[in-house]
Amino acid sequence: MNGSPLPAGALGIGWRREICGMLAGLEGIGFCEVIAESLTADHSRPPRDSRSRGRATVTVPEELAALVRRGIPAVPHGISLSLGSAEGVDDGRITQLAESARTLGSPLVSEHIAFVRAGGLEAGHLLPLPRTREALDVLERNIFRVMRSLDVPLAVENIAALFEWPDAEYTEAEFLQELVERTGVYLLLDIANVYANARNTARDPLTELLRLPTERLAYCHIAGGHESGGRYIDTHVHPIPAEVLALVAKFAPGRPVPLMLERDGNYPPATELVAELNAIATASARPPVTLRTESIPA
């Protein structure tokens, strides 16, 4: 495996304003991830250099800046580039992602293998691509366009999908492998998404996970979900199920890939969130994180 731009074997967490006080008290985390679109673009300030196309800079919350000053890398994670869009990628959104990385001094950025807009309409959701050569051509073109505007590597993430397009020309593993070979992009592997897709299509999650390309792994997402209407939904607001932790335990030990807890709402008490992080640490045979007692709300 080519080394990740992040610290080997690191355990990370998604930075969110709602839990920033707790995150400030964590000891032992190796990185965090911030939603790039949550950072405020300031159009009144000039860009840092001529490579910033959007003529805007990004304002970083002080709580996040404090983590970066402690030496904890922050990865901007985009959710709206629409890398799979046949209409191309919006320059302003590329600039937001690129300037977020410059401002934070990030070692890489990440986005999704998905599309979110077509015909001028915003879906408001990450939609799956058909696994065809034509879709790969679109992805390749858009990824190269984004990479030309970045100072750091790009990682792309597999998504959870409740349906698959018909007439697929590739399996998911073949699709990702060719994408990596064509572009040299890193892979952000979401283990919970692999579990969700396998379970909803009556496939074995471990078999699907072990088929995926690992030579360009940047880091992994691990998140919770629940079953609804006979389908498993990747929610990011529920605890990590035992089945996903079991996948981590089969996949992560012996691999130095960084792992990250992804939580986007319904935040539990600080001690429970730390316990969830340490469940990942235990499953991956890594040192636990700790929380300074003065950081626990009364």
Side-chain angles (χ1 to χ4, degrees):
M1 184 185 78
N2 294 326
S4 168
L6 291 167
L11 188 63
I13 189 168
W15 188 92
R16 304 294 184 264
R17 291 179 186 270
E18 295 89 340
I19 56 173
C20 66
M22 185 277 287
L23 298 187
L26 281 178
E27 300 286 352
I29 60 167
F31 71 103
C32 65
E33 180 194 81
V34 59
I35 301 300
E37 289 82 354
S38 72
L39 300 176
T40 304
D42 185 352
H43 295 269
S44 67
R45 296 163 58 196
R48 289 171 174 257
D49 56 51
S50 60
R51 292 170 297 181
S52 297
R53 294 185 180 181
R55 276 55 71 180
T57 56
V58 168
T59 301
V60 176
E62 172 54 30
E63 296 89 346
L64 178 57
L67 284 182
V68 173
R69 288 195 296 269
R70 281 173 49 192
I72 298 171
V75 178
H77 183 57
I79 58 175
S80 65
L81 268 187
S82 198
L83 287 174
S85 174
E87 300 171 5
V89 186
D90 178 73
D91 281 343
R93 296 174 197 260
I94 298 174
T95 297
Q96 169 80 8
L97 191 60
E99 187 59 26
S100 296
R102 293 186 189 116
T103 303
L104 289 165
S106 304
L108 79 160
V109 300
S110 57
E111 244 289 357
H112 298 84
I113 301 169
F115 73 98
V116 299
R117 73 183 61 84
L121 298 176
E122 295 279 343
H125 191 74
L126 298 167
L127 298 173
L129 302 181
R131 292 198 297 270
T132 62
R133 181 161 296 277
E134 185 177 14
L136 266 174
D137 291 341
V138 168
L139 265 177
E140 179 182 3
R141 182 169 63 248
N142 288 339
I143 284 173
F144 276 131
R145 182 178 173 190
V146 172
M147 290 169 72
R148 284 194 295 269
S149 297
L150 297 174
D151 299 326
V152 295
L154 171 67
V156 292
E157 178 184 357
N158 58 305
I159 70 166
L162 293 177
F163 70 93
E164 292 186 351
W165 295 98
D167 303 322
E169 298 171 17
Y170 301 86
T171 65
E172 184 172 25
E174 292 167 342
F175 191 83
L176 293 177
Q177 183 68 54
E178 183 158 342
L179 180 64
V180 168
E181 290 175 355
R182 285 191 186 196
T183 64
V185 73
Y186 278 93
L187 179 62
L188 162 51
L189 175 57
D190 192 310
I191 294 176
N193 288 350
V194 172
Y195 172 76
N197 291 341
R199 177 167 167 174
N200 290 335
T201 54
R203 297 172 180 148
D204 177 61
L206 180 60
T207 300
E208 296 302 307
L209 178 61
L210 295 179
R211 283 174 176 161
L212 298 178
T214 58
E215 67 271 16
R216 290 284 287 176
L217 275 185
Y219 62 111
C220 294
H221 277 172
I222 302 160
H226 74 140
E227 187 169 327
S228 177
R231 293 220 171 223
Y232 182 83
I233 311 297
D234 177 58
T235 65
H236 299 184
V237 299
H238 291 84
I240 304 169
E243 294 87 348
V244 172
L245 286 172
L247 284 180
V248 174
K250 293 284 188 181
F251 180 78
R255 286 186 169 93
V257 60
L259 305 174
M260 194 199 97
L261 172 62
E262 195 175 25
R263 187 87 181 216
D264 291 316
N266 192 27
Y267 300 104
T271 51
E272 291 183 23
L273 202 57
V274 171
E276 195 161 23
L277 268 168
N278 282 333
I280 297 172
T282 298
S284 58
R286 297 182 187 184
V289 300
T290 57
L291 181 66
R292 295 195 299 268
T293 55
E294 65 269 22
S295 302
I296 301 176

